[in-house]
Every structure is written in structure tokens, then in C-alpha cells.
Amino acid sequence: MPTEPTATGRHVREVVFVDGVRTPFGKAGEKGIHAGTRADDLVVKCIRELLRRNPSLPPERIDDIAIAATTQTGDQGLTIGRTAALLAGLPRTVPGFAIDRMCAGAMTAVTTTASGIAFGAYDVVVAGGVEHMGHHPMGAGTDPNPRFLTEKLVDPAALNMGNTAENLHDRFPAVTKERADSYAVASQAKLAEAYGNNRIQPDLVPVAGRKPGSGWTLHHTDEPPRPGTSLEDLASLRTPFRPHGRVTAGNAAGLNDGATAALLASSDAAAELGLPVKMRLVSYAFAGVEPEVMGIGPVPATEKALRQAGLRIEDIGLFEINEAFAVQVLSFLDHFGITDDDPRVNRYGGAIAVGHPLASSGVRLMTQLARQFEEDPSVRYGMTTMCVGLGMGGTVIWENPHHADYSLKMSEDAA
């Protein structure tokens, strides 16, 4: 990141990822594990867990709470960052706000507050997201301007994410249904292996839930995974977005409920407060594409983030790519010449297996990348990237503090 002074004389400061947690992801609907739990209470669970895991952080040192939600109404409305801070028992002096960039909501909460840290407005922040798709189905209560269609500003498919994925298959015929299904099977298998190796559980916040007509249950694992899924299983699924299509419930993320939260700080504040450093922010970028093929958004966003960082795609040792649809990931891999089974990609599986509660998913990617950094100190740089509805993509590049050439450690040693 640049180090030139700003117009006010401030120097841009290094931003570090201290910690990240999430609730188990549930299936949306009345039978899902979070059906009887409010969205804001899911966020509160995450905030409290961050404080529990980082006891050296005085709550009053948190400078802001940024929480994303795509459908900002009901229990996801009322400036959820502020209401969640109050509900979590934080001091009244801690402000908060809500943010929306659809699927990249939590990612944008991180990048927005990280910019405030870099500028010097904040020392420590909490950033995350929530989506209770059981309470608030995607698009519920929205009123798209009729000019989008009457003036042909966007293709009608742009308003339906499944249709945009079918359009991406049209644009990239090398990404066949069979290939998408094969990728989805691998995602399920990798998540099952990660669970078997206790890679996922340490960052999950147990949530007590109650379904109508039944008692309370403590949920501590994700609900959507289908371990043991086979190609034969997926081949039999219908294609709901197009007759004889290629997108199915098996090679796309489901409709889910869940929340995430991350703790970010300046490197100086982290050192002062004795907070761990799990990653250093290197660069980030967002980019727009045609809304009807929104899944290709991570490509220009990644190219932009790499340029800003002075890196090449070959420098990225780990990729956490949100699996909204298999075709979206595969088109990204093809663009950059990466094979479908590259061991750098989604080592713990992805959203096809674990779920995608829209605005919360960006921090899940970051939390999983941080754990992989700790596991593999040979990797210096990693990336979190995702497509975004209405034709966007977002990418964040991170550096591994466990790598021998970690730049922040080198600069501190030099000082």
C-alpha cells in the first residue's frame, strides 16, 4: 500500500486482519436451523465471540461496527451495525452503520473500514455481514425501476442470478454442465475433508435455535453440506432456470442464513493491544461488468487489484473464490490459466457445499484464508474474490504474516 502523506499530513497505515468468526450456515426456510433466530441476533453472536476470543481488546477501543445486509428490512434493517453493537453490550460510544453491495457486502464492510484505518480515522473496527434468506428472500420488497427493462438498460436476465449463470455458460461453452458438476463434487469433498481435519470448526460460533413445535438445539456445524455427493447424483437434478440448461441446485450455492464478523486493526494498534495478526491487507478492487453475466466480475476486479499491488496472478499462492455458481469459478480459472483441480483454489471447499448467505460470505472467505495462511507458511500472498449481483466483482489481496518474507515484519525490524 502507498505510504505518501495525505493532504492533512497523515501517512497511510498498514491494516491487519486480527480475527474472523461466523455462525454455522443454515438452509433458508421454516425447516432451517436458524428459522426461529433473528438476523440481528446472529450478528450479536459473532461480535461477542470476537471479544471473547480477544480478551486484550477493551470494547471501548472499537471505533466502528460495519455490518452488511442485502435486504435491509425487518430484523436486518434499522442500521444494523449500530443496533447490533447496542445488542452486543458494547459501550454506547461505539457507533455503527449498515452497508450493501449484495453478495460482496461483508467484503465491502471490510474494505470500507480498512480504508478508514489506513487514513487514521480508526484504530480497531468490526466488519461483517448477515443474510437471513429465510426471513428475507432475495429481492423481497424491492421495486426495480421499470426503466431497466423499458429502456433496455439491462437484459431481463440480470435480475435473476440463475439466468446470469446460464448466460455465462453460453459465453464460455468450454464450461460444460459435466465440468460444473465435477467441480461441485470436488467442493463437497474438500469441505468434508476440512471438517474431518478440524479446519472449519474453530471459527464457528454455536447458535441455539428453536423450531416451531420442538425444543432448543445448539447448532455448531453447517447445515447445507452434502458429503458423498456424486456426479450421478448431480446429473439427475433439474435445471430450473432454462430447459435443458446447465445450472442446478447441485452446482450452485443454495439459499442460506448466516452471519460473519471480522476484527481489523492498524498494525500499530494490534501491537499495542496484544492482538494477533492473521493477515495484512495488500490491495483491493471492485469492478463492473455487464449485469447479465455478473459472474465474470471477479476477473476485472482481480486484474485491477493485482495492478495496484504490483503482483501477478502467479504470485498468488491461495485463492478463496466464492462459489455462487460453478461456472463463475471455472470461467475465472480459465481466464487466468488455472486448472480446475489446482490445489491453491478453495482448499476447504466453497459456497456450493457450505452455503452462501449473500452479504455475509466475504468474511467467510477471509477467515478461511487466514487459517490456511497459518497452516501453510510457504504461501506469501492469497486472494479472496467474488462476483456480485447487477454486474460487479470484488477482490482483496492479503499477505501471510507467517511467511519468511512478510513485508510488515521486515519494515518493523528495519525501524
Side-chain angles (χ1 to χ4, degrees), residues 149-190:
L149 301 184
T150 59
E151 298 182 18
K152 302 189 184 305
L153 298 177
V154 299
D155 187 285
L159 303 179
N160 181 296
M161 298 302 102
N163 287 339
T164 69
E166 289 285 8
N167 288 345
L168 207 57
H169 273 288
D170 292 341
R171 180 169 291 195
F172 300 105
V175 184
T176 62
K177 181 180 183 301
E178 292 73 22
R179 190 175 161 199
D181 285 350
S182 179
Y183 180 87
V185 167
S187 181
Q188 295 280 359
K190 287 190 287 187

Side-chain angles (χ1 to χ4, degrees), residues 57-73:
L57 173 64
E60 63 271 16
R61 288 297 301 272
I62 298 173
D63 292 305
D64 216 341
I65 306 281
I67 300 297
T70 301
T71 307
Q72 295 189 9
T73 187

